């Protein structure tokens, strides 16, 4: 039977006929006219589904596909998250470029590694819970004022937060427990300009997040880490780590 199907860049409004394709593993139906018509009887083991650039307003249209590993729903009309309850195998989820105002429905996605929610309307990152497998989180271009809610993502390595409203460097305390964090992007947040001449913003962040290697697109140097240690009074410990 057919395993991979590309229906992208058409004017399709109904996927119901695909119910006959029981052995389909991957479907690309991006750039169409799908809303409720995105529902179709689930293949036995559909693992990848791309419905980006459509008119989907309710995530429940994909809830029957419980074997999905990768789900792409960016550039739709979603205002809320949902429909993920049975998707325990999901590893990658993109909901970028929608109108989502809150994180929810992620309680059962224990193997989620990549979550992209850039360009939505999120005010706070609460609702992630303990996403122990999450490695990449993109919340750029939202309305975030706090990082409270991220501290349970123990495996997080890349955190993208550019173009938000984070203004206080003390918010870094919420991500300080994330000892695997390597990349942090806070560009175009007020916090970037809040440091004093005596203690620049980058030193504040380097001190609170010693595992960082890349901050706002620029490498965190050994000099910055030592400088942060001197400013905050633990230079000897820091020098030992760097050596």
């Amino acid at each position: 039977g057919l395993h991979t199907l590309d229906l992208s860049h058409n004017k399709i409004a109904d996927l119901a006929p695909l119910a006959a394709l029981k052995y389909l593993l991957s479907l690309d139906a991006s750039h169409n006219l799908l809303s409720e018509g995105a529902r179709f009887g689930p293949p036995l083991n559909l693992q990848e589904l791309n419905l980006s650039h459509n008119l989907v307003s309710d995530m429940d249209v994909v809830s029957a596909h419980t074997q999905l590993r990768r789900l792409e729903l960016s550039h739709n009309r979603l205002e809320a998250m949902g429909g993920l309850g049975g998707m325990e195998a999901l590893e990658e989820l993109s909901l970028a470029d929608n109108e989502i105002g809150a994180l929810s429905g992620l309680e059962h996605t224990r193997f989620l590694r990549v979550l992209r929610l850039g360009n939505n309307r999120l005010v706070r990152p609460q609702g992630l819970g303990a996403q122990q497998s999450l490695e990449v989180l993109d919340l750029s271009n939202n309305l975030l004022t706090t990082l409270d809610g991220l501290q349970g993502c123990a495996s997080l390595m890349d955190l993208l937060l550019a173009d938000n409203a984070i203004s206080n460097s003390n918010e870094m305390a919420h991500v300080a427990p994330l000892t695997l964090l390597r990349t942090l992007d806070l560009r175009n947040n007020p916090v970037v300009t809040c440091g004093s001449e005596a203690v620049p913003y980058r030193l504040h962040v380097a001190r609170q997040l010693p595992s960082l290697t890349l901050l706002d697109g620029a490498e965190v140097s050994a000099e910055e880490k030592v400088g942060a240690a001197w400013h905050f009074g633990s230079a000897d410990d820091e020098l030992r780590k760097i050596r």
Side-chain angles (χ1 to χ4, degrees):
L2 189 66
H3 289 164
T4 302
L5 182 60
D6 186 348
L7 299 174
S8 62
H9 296 275
N10 285 288
K11 295 183 179 179
I12 298 167
D14 186 8
L15 296 179
L18 299 186
L21 301 176
K22 291 296 182 189
Y23 300 102
L24 195 64
L25 296 177
S26 177
L27 171 64
D28 185 349
S30 60
H31 296 271
N32 280 288
L33 302 173
L34 295 162
S35 55
E36 278 297 307
R39 293 181 193 272
F40 65 101
L44 295 173
N45 196 25
L46 186 68
Q47 295 187 12
E48 297 190 5
L49 178 58
N50 187 346
L51 295 175
S52 64
H53 295 272
N54 275 285
L55 308 172
V56 177
S57 59
D58 186 349
M59 285 182 66
D60 196 53
V61 299
V62 299
S63 61
H65 304 296
T66 56
Q67 303 301 311
L68 284 179
R69 294 183 182 276
R70 184 172 180 271
L71 175 58
E72 169 66 81
L73 277 167
S74 61
H75 294 275
N76 274 283
R77 297 183 176 179
L78 298 167
E79 295 183 1
M81 295 173 64
L84 299 170
M87 295 186 192
E88 296 189 4
L90 198 63
E91 295 178 8
E92 296 187 30
L93 174 62
S94 179
L95 299 171
D97 296 280
N98 281 284
E99 304 288 328
I100 295 168
L103 292 166
S104 62
L106 294 167
E107 296 82 6
H108 302 288
T109 56
R110 292 178 295 124
F111 300 107
L112 195 64
R113 293 187 300 103
V114 178
L115 177 59
R116 301 193 185 279
L117 274 155
N119 201 23
N120 277 280
R121 296 188 172 182
L122 297 168
V123 176
R124 55 186 61 240
Q126 289 170 348
L128 282 168
Q131 290 288 333
Q132 296 292 329
S133 300
L134 195 62
E135 297 174 1
V136 178
L137 178 60
D138 185 352
L139 299 176
S140 54
N141 202 12
N142 276 278
L143 305 169
L144 297 177
T145 59
T146 181
L147 303 184
D148 188 14
L150 298 176
Q151 50 267 50
C153 303
S155 298
L156 202 59
M157 300 178 73
D158 300 323
L159 179 57
L160 309 178
L161 298 167
D163 297 287
N164 276 284
I166 297 159
S167 60
N168 192 329
S169 61
N170 290 333
E171 289 296 325
M172 298 308 123
H174 297 301
V175 290
L178 308 182
T179 56
L180 298 179
L181 197 62
R182 297 291 181 267
T183 302
L184 177 63
D185 193 346
L186 286 165
R187 281 176 281 194
N188 298 325
N189 278 270
V191 69
V192 174
T193 57
C194 81
S196 66
E197 192 174 333
V199 187
Y201 146 80
R202 287 182 66 90
L203 292 195
H204 259 297
V205 178
R207 181 64 195 130
Q208 295 187 71
L209 303 172
S211 63
L212 276 191
T213 57
L214 200 66
L215 174 60
D216 300 345
E219 182 182 350
V220 180
S221 66
E223 288 80 5
E224 282 179 309
K225 292 186 177 184
V226 172
W230 282 112
H231 273 293
F232 294 97
S234 58
D236 291 342
D237 291 344
E238 201 64 31
L239 283 167
R240 275 194 288 273
K241 282 184 199 170
I242 291 166
R243 284 173 187 154

